Amino acid sequence: MQITDGVRSILSSPAIYTLFQNLMGARSGWRKITDGYVQAKAGDIVLDIGCGPADVLDYLPQVQYWGFDISPEYIDQAKRKYGSRGQFFCKFFERSDLEILPKADIALLSGVLHHLDDGEAHGLLDLIGLALKPGGRLVTVDPCLVPGQNPVARLLIERDRGRNVRDEAGYRDLVQGRFSSSRVQIVHKAWIPYTHCFTVNRNA
């Protein structure tokens, strides 16, 4: 669940969302995510759930990209900008989608888990396990609350649209036991101050 009223409602616009993300350092952030964690190779099948306007495609090689998002505005923007570079779906990712989706090498959840309660997150993670190839990887990244973190980072994170921002242990509990291996890492960004929790999970 997310908060979309008041000032936060303007982020429903793809152009404003992308501008805000860029102001927050998204360009360097996407490069770090794709190079350091996603590590996709040309031809890989990439499943991106909660893809937004699919800005990540600017930082990926020529992959087979499948993006899901529930915002019509975001998906329309992705189709206009990237066209044939991917398949874009305006819907929740559901079990029935496994019938048309090829087994993925990599799944990406960028800024998704902190919008879901534990039950919703567990269901989605289990479904992703079914969507991945054996040995495939799931990469997640979300804002994280950490003791002693920069007060500006904490202020921004506490005002995030997502209502289920967790601490490191909370994200670890979501993924552990659902994959053959899971690695959790906290990353602090100096400017604009922010804190992310990354998880990299390998499918059995």
Side-chain angles (χ1 to χ4, degrees), residues 115-148:
H115 293 288
L116 307 178
D117 63 31
D118 285 357
E120 293 167 333
H122 291 159
L124 178 57
L125 292 169
D126 288 342
L127 189 57
I128 290 173
L130 297 175
L132 285 170
K133 294 177 179 177
R137 292 178 296 112
L138 164 66
V139 176
T140 79
V141 55
D142 286 275
C144 187
L145 296 170
V146 179

Side-chain angles (χ1 to χ4, degrees), residues 7-18 20-21 74 161:
V7 174
R8 297 175 181 89
S9 65
I10 66 173
L11 295 178
S12 298
S13 162
I16 294 176
Y17 172 82
T18 298
F20 176 77
Q21 292 295 310
Y74 287 170
R161 290 187 293 172

Side-chain angles (χ1 to χ4, degrees), residues 10 45 53 58 65 81 101 117 124 142-143 172 180:
I10 66 173
I45 298 170
D58 286 335
Y65 180 89
K81 183 174 181 181
L101 181 72
D117 63 31
L124 178 57
D142 286 275
R172 188 184 303 275
S180 61

Side-chain angles (χ1 to χ4, degrees), residues 17-29 152 156-157 189 191-194 196:
Y17 172 82
T18 298
L19 175 62
F20 176 77
Q21 292 295 310
N22 288 339
L23 289 172
M24 290 292 291
R27 289 191 178 95
S28 62
V152 174
L156 291 171
I157 290 168
K189 184 160 66 75
W191 186 259
I192 297 171
Y194 211 76
H196 288 100

Side-chain angles (χ1 to χ4, degrees), residues 62-107:
Q62 290 297 320
V63 299
Q64 299 181 50
Y65 180 89
W66 297 68
F68 288 77
D69 201 283
I70 60 172
S71 165
E73 293 82 8
Y74 287 170
I75 292 297
D76 287 346
Q77 171 71 8
K79 289 178 177 178
R80 285 193 299 270
K81 183 174 181 181
Y82 298 107
S84 61
R85 283 202 61 191
Q87 303 283 337
F88 306 101
F89 301 88
C90 184
K91 65 187 299 295
F92 286 103
F93 182 63
E94 300 171 315
R95 183 175 292 267
S96 60
D97 295 309
L98 299 178
E99 298 174 6
I100 62 168
L101 181 72
K103 290 284 187 177
D105 297 286
I106 300 165

